[in-house]
Amino acid sequence: MLVLGIETSCDETGFAIYDSERGLLAHCLYSQVALHADYGGVVPELASRDHVRKILPMFNQVLAEAGVTKQALDGIAYTAGPGLMGALMVGGSMATALGFTLDIPVVGVHHMEGHLLAPMLEDKPPEFPFVALLVSGGHTQLVSVKGIGDYKLLGESLDDAAGEAFDKTAKMLDLDYPGGPVLAKLAEKGHLNRFDFPRPMTDKPGLDFSFSGLKTHTRNLIEKHRGSDVLPDQQTTYDICAGFQEAVVDTLTIKCKRALKQTNMKRLVIAGGVSANKRLRQKLEAELMQFDAQVFYARHEFCTDNGAMIAYAGCQRLLAGERSDLSLSVTPRWPLQSLSSI
Ligand code: KG4
Ligand code: ZN
């Protein structure tokens, strides 16, 4: 089955073509980072308009790169939520219009299910069951995964998501947008232990997270080292980045180990933008090896938003007979646990 995947939930336009027999044939991605950089965050209306500008040229590009015509497509998958309403509607309208004209099935995919299944595109995909740590700009969740759509929420962030904490901390330090990867890069030059950072909610039982206190702690530290209105000196900035990143990574690692123990599982999948973080991967690999558990993640470009994960997840659901109707429906808020298993 040849499936087109369309991702437009936020500030990335992603297209991909996945074949259930041959795997991923092509994918292309356009990032709106430059468009939103001046505003220090995503401006929803600008995001929708930019998706409109890009979807047709990118559709043609992905077909050409895959070497297929649109008539060869057997199905279309689009991100139906969660995400920005206007941005979701752009991909959804294109998917439903194409489905109607080509007379092929269309399926709306849950963006976080896309992330969760992205490691399935790698050479050594994880087998079910596993624990998934979903860490993106909008979500931090630990999920027990027994199969596609068989998800049980084990814990989640009570306030900021991990990616959001990275981005907000980077903003306090006046780093370029989007802050997460920039902060991670500067952390490589910093000393981990110059400053003390809390590991929130790790001394209490349970699998929930909270990152807003860590953010406040970091803000106070920055204020303390700020001159009258200048930023901390360069090395101090690096040290704050390193200490902050280590606190987030430690907190996530402690909870992942706890989740594996609680579920008696030996496989951990990390997915979403923050799973691109090198330090997080390193630490989890080292810690999990000690009790014979393994960590799986997608290649770097499939950790953040992309069309390939949507094409893959949609293909599995289409193969299972799932169909969305052609009345365009997007769901900006959509709990992962409400999905049906296939
Ligand atoms: O999954 P994603 O592309 O979009 C959402 O669905 O939210 O995740 C984006 C988030 C942003 O908060 C970004 O700063 C963060 O992932 N991120 C990182 C890294 N790369 C992306 N955070 C820490 N370290 C990174 N290397
Ligand atoms: Zn995402």
Side-chain angles (χ1 to χ4, degrees):
M1 183 179 232
L2 197 63
V3 176
L4 172 73
I6 307 176
E7 157 62 36
T8 63
S9 67
C10 189
D11 59 346
E12 251 111 25
T13 318
F15 275 78
I17 294 181
Y18 180 82
D19 182 3
S20 53
E21 304 296 313
R22 292 179 289 164
L24 187 66
L25 300 189
H27 72 97
C28 46
L29 189 72
Y30 169 77
S31 169
Q32 301 179 352
V33 159
L35 177 72
H36 302 290
D38 284 349
Y39 305 94
V42 179
V43 184
E45 181 60 23
L46 294 182
S48 319
R49 292 181 195 196
D50 214 32
H51 287 307
V52 172
R53 274 191 285 271
K54 287 288 167 194
I55 48 170
L56 285 177
M58 288 182 67
F59 175 48
N60 290 325
Q61 185 187 339
V62 81
L63 287 172
E65 285 179 17
V68 299
T69 62
K70 58 177 178 285
Q71 285 76 19
L73 295 172
D74 298 309
I76 301 171
Y78 69 96
T79 304
L84 302 171
M85 181 65 132
L88 291 167
M89 301 252 317
V90 177
S93 322
M94 169 151 189
T96 45
L98 257 182
F100 179 72
T101 47
L102 297 173
D103 196 20
I104 53 175
V106 171
V107 71
V109 171
H110 192 292
H111 180 78
M112 297 312 292
E113 177 171 74
H115 276 304
L116 193 157
L117 297 177
M120 298 295 182
L121 291 163
E122 300 307 318
D123 288 342
K124 284 196 189 129
E127 280 172 29
F128 297 111
F130 54 75
V131 168
L133 171 71
L134 302 177
V135 265
S136 69
H139 293 79
T140 299
Q141 296 182 321
L142 274 165
V143 185
S144 152
V145 180
K146 299 231 167 99
I148 296 181
D150 190 346
Y151 308 135
K152 187 170 159 239
L153 186 67
L154 301 172
E156 65 184 334
S157 179
L158 306 176
D159 40 58
D160 292 352
E164 191 180 358
F166 264 96
D167 294 340
K168 287 180 175 168
T169 303
K171 207 166 182 178
M172 291 180 219
L173 287 165
D174 244 4
L175 305 182
D176 284 343
Y177 163 85
V182 180
L183 190 154
K185 193 89 208 127
L186 299 188
E188 288 173 15
K189 301 184 204 167
H191 301 291
L192 296 181
N193 301 319
R194 175 165 161 208
F195 301 115
D196 278 335
F197 283 85
R199 270 63 175 155
M201 294 184 71
T202 51
D203 50 358
K204 287 194 218 139
L207 294 169
D208 286 333
F209 304 89
S210 164
F211 291 108
S212 75
L214 180 59
K215 194 181 61 191
T216 309
H217 177 92
T218 313
R219 176 179 293 123
N220 293 339
L221 189 64
I222 295 169
E223 289 305 322
K224 208 170 122 195
H225 288 270
R226 203 189 269 278
S228 54
D229 59 4
V230 291
L231 287 164
D233 67 77
Q234 209 168 46
Q235 189 57 49
T236 300
T237 297
Y238 299 157
D239 297 344
I240 292 174
C241 289
F244 167 83
Q245 174 176 262
E246 200 65 7
V248 175
V249 166
D250 270 351
T251 306
L252 294 174
T253 304
I254 291 168
K255 297 284 163 126
C256 284
K257 281 166 57 181
R258 201 177 280 176
L260 287 169
K261 221 179 212 170
Q262 187 178 306
T263 55
N264 238 334
M265 291 196 205
K266 290 283 186 191
R267 283 180 290 269
L268 175 76
V269 161
I270 56 170
V274 182
S275 69
N277 186 278
K278 276 197 228 155
R279 183 72 187 152
L280 177 65
R281 291 173 171 202
Q282 261 174 10
K283 194 136 210 176
L284 281 171
E285 262 157 14
E287 298 265 330
L288 264 55
M289 209 159 59
Q290 290 176 14
F291 62 104
D292 223 18
Q294 263 181 300
V295 56
F296 297 83
Y297 41 77
R299 74 195 81 161
H300 195 276
E301 61 187 329
F302 294 162
C303 288
T304 44
D305 294 349
N306 66 86
M309 65 186 196
I310 302 303
Y312 177 82
C315 181
Q316 307 314 309
R317 290 198 167 268
L318 286 167
L319 284 171
E322 205 168 295
R323 307 285 184 258
S324 299
D325 65 35
L326 292 184
S327 62
L328 169 61
S329 83
V330 296
T331 317
R333 288 175 185 277
W334 186 5
L336 186 69
Q337 317 83 274
S338 69
L339 295 182
S340 55
S341 71
I342 61 172

